[in-house]
Amino acid sequence: MRLGGRLAAAIEVLEDIGRRHRPVADALKDWGLSHRFAGGGDRAAIGNIVYDALRRKRSAGWLLGEDTPRAIGFGALLLEWSQTAQSLNAALEGDKFAPPLLSATELQAMAERRLADAPPAVRADIPDWCEPLFERAFGETWVEEGAALATRPPLDIRVNTLQANRAKVLAELAQTGASAARIAPYGIRIPPIDGDGRHPNVQAEPAFQKGWFEVQDEGSQIAAALAGATAGMQVLDFCAGAGGKTLALSAAMDNHGQIFAHDAEKARLAPIFDRIRRSENRNVQVTTKPAELAPLTGHMDIVLVDAPCTGSGTWRRRPDAKWRLTQRQLDARKGEQATILDAARTYVKPGGLLVYVTCSVFDEENGEQIAAFRERHGGFAPVDHRQLWDSRFPGHTAAMRIGALGGISLSPALSGTDGFYFCALRRAN
């Protein structure tokens, strides 16, 4: 397929997403199943246009004067593919599968508009209703932070130190452009793709099948490292999900002590069993029933709450979620977080840590949630987060922010990671 056919397909997928309000991955999968003639390269390029259009929906639509699937599809190529109006029209001309060329009206709109003159929320590529949330979270830099969440993400890997070291994994992935991560000591990063490129399928690598590494954003790796699990501890990962942080904690403990991986939704835990077998993490016990947690009450050195949240920190990877999010959903997540924190605290032993993590950038889910928890429950005090950070990641103080309400925040513009929040509360003796 030429660029015109790929753009037309991307517009078709964007129309489907808008009409049926469905996740982008589902829409792309269905398009591929109904257009089997499209090769892997075509599907990757179409996916790139769709994801770019959703990441840059506000700015792409603003440049062309409307936010239709056609406008944001064209806008994605102009903003992210180094195309100009003239080069794009030239590339589409004569292609019977291409959408109509940029019209005189569209060309005029583009000629009269500069993105630098757009309203702040447009430059940040966020919904209008999220503007006060970003301003509260980031202050004067909120537009830059929003824009960073609209860029293409890298592919991050965590070396499994139970099986390999970073030099060994880097040697195995030498052809992928991988390099050592900026902050995480066991992290490896493959840079964001350009144009119609695609990330290598690292999970097909023999090194992955041998358990040498896991795919995990560097921010998630940092959060796990900050938790401070060491050999011999008793740790509860209360919202373990697929087990990414569980495995990182287990490796940090060098398979000594015990880590209990729990999630209220059994289906979310399903992938953890294969991951444990492949990685040879041997100190993990998976628990799904509340009754199995009862003996742990008051005995855990660390209780990690990787709380369900809006996922606003992951908008680079899931840009469609940005446009589906509502205030009602945010309020629902806040209620769930409070309930989970109240339940998780009972398992922390005197002197132990309650660690709260989200992949959200909103204060409402982060510092404000912790402040509300401390108002409800005495006996939990925040650790010195600056000292904690400097002890784990010396020389990288500028890569994080200590919030006014405490805790550590990471973000694409600041740390080059997904957006994460980390707060450790020590229970009084």
Side-chain angles (χ1 to χ4, degrees):
M1 296 173 69
R2 294 164 57 186
L3 180 59
R6 290 172 169 179
L7 175 56
I11 292 171
E12 183 181 338
V13 173
L14 289 165
E15 289 171 343
D16 180 35
I17 293 170
R19 183 175 60 252
R20 300 170 63 184
H21 305 286
R22 60 203 308 241
V24 60
D26 293 347
L28 284 167
K29 180 180 179 181
D30 285 353
W31 187 92
L33 291 173
S34 60
H35 297 78
R36 294 184 180 275
F37 62 84
D42 293 324
R43 291 194 298 273
I46 293 163
N48 287 352
I49 298 172
V50 169
Y51 273 91
D52 287 339
L54 292 170
R55 292 188 189 102
R56 304 297 305 275
K57 181 179 178 180
R58 295 297 304 277
S59 51
W62 190 84
L63 283 177
L64 275 81
E66 55 183 352
D67 63 356
T68 62
R70 169 185 164 85
I72 64 174
F74 271 87
L77 293 179
L78 295 167
L79 290 169
E80 296 290 342
W81 291 58
S82 303
Q83 292 280 353
T84 65
Q86 293 72 30
S87 68
L88 189 49
N89 267 355
L92 303 186
E93 191 169 11
D95 185 347
K96 66 179 182 179
F97 298 107
L101 303 185
L102 288 164
S103 67
T105 302
E106 290 169 327
L107 290 170
Q108 182 178 354
M110 294 167 56
E112 294 175 348
R113 294 184 172 210
R114 293 190 320 127
L115 194 54
D117 299 327
V122 171
R123 288 183 281 122
D125 272 297
I126 63 171
D128 285 332
W129 76 271
C130 290
E131 181 172 334
L133 302 180
F134 269 76
E135 194 166 9
R136 195 176 306 135
F138 297 112
E140 294 180 352
T141 63
W142 74 268
V143 173
E144 291 77 8
E145 291 285 357
L149 278 166
T151 59
R152 290 185 176 186
L155 174 61
D156 289 346
I157 288 167
R158 178 185 60 81
V159 175
N160 176 20
T161 54
L162 298 174
Q163 300 261 51
N165 58 47
R166 187 152 66 176
K168 186 175 181 179
V169 176
L170 282 170
E172 285 291 307
L173 301 178
Q175 303 304 313
T176 68
S179 61
R182 172 185 165 196
I183 302 170
Y186 308 117
I188 289 175
R189 171 159 292 185
I190 298 174
I193 55 177
D194 294 319
D196 62 355
R198 44 182 170 168
H199 275 132
N201 180 12
V202 294
Q203 292 182 333
E205 294 285 338
F208 177 78
Q209 301 301 327
K210 294 175 184 177
W212 290 5
F213 66 84
E214 290 286 335
V215 176
Q216 185 178 22
D217 181 77
E218 187 181 8
S220 181
Q221 298 179 46
I222 290 170
L226 287 169
T230 57
M233 282 187 171
Q234 298 291 304
V235 177
L236 170 60
D237 187 352
F238 194 66
C239 304
K245 291 184 181 66
T246 298
L247 299 184
L249 294 169
S250 172
M253 296 164 70
D254 197 26
N255 269 337
H256 293 90
Q258 292 185 93
I259 179 165
F260 300 88
H262 171 77
D263 202 289
E265 296 290 337
K266 294 180 182 179
R268 286 200 290 256
L269 278 168
I272 199 172
F273 297 98
D274 283 339
R275 299 177 80 179
I276 289 171
R277 283 191 289 269
R278 187 179 63 250
S279 60
E280 295 192 5
N281 293 88
R282 296 188 299 273
N283 64 336
V284 179
Q285 297 186 41
V286 180
T287 61
T288 59
K289 300 173 183 177
E292 295 173 326
L293 295 180
L296 309 184
T297 302
H299 291 297
M300 296 293 101
D301 294 289
I302 298 172
V303 175
L304 174 67
V305 174
D306 188 0
C309 65
T310 59
S312 54
T314 68
W315 280 351
R316 296 186 300 176
R317 305 177 194 281
R318 300 191 302 126
D320 50 322
K322 174 164 49 174
W323 311 112
R324 292 198 305 268
L325 182 64
T326 65
Q327 180 66 54
R328 183 176 180 179
Q329 291 171 326
L330 172 57
D331 292 339
R333 297 292 86 76
K334 288 165 59 179
E336 292 172 1
Q337 291 155 8
T339 299
I340 289 170
L341 274 171
D342 289 348
R345 70 180 175 88
T346 63
Y347 301 102
V348 184
K349 76 177 187 180
L353 287 178
L354 176 62
V355 175
Y356 179 73
V357 176
T358 75
C359 54
S360 172
V361 298
F362 299 150
D363 278 354
E364 288 76 2
E365 300 181 271
N366 298 334
E368 291 182 14
Q369 190 68 262
I370 291 297
F373 170 80
R374 295 187 64 206
E375 286 182 7
R376 295 192 304 274
H377 305 289
F380 285 87
V383 303
D384 184 336
H385 285 93
R386 187 170 298 280
Q387 189 279 329
L388 173 63
W389 177 273
D390 289 341
S391 69
R392 297 283 191 273
F393 310 112
H396 293 288
T397 303
M400 63 87 181
R401 179 175 50 256
I402 301 291
L405 296 171
I408 293 169
S409 292
L410 306 174
S411 63
L414 195 64
S415 53
T417 69
D418 284 353
F420 274 92
Y421 175 78
F422 173 97
C423 185
L425 302 173
R426 189 169 300 281
R427 182 180 173 185
N429 289 315

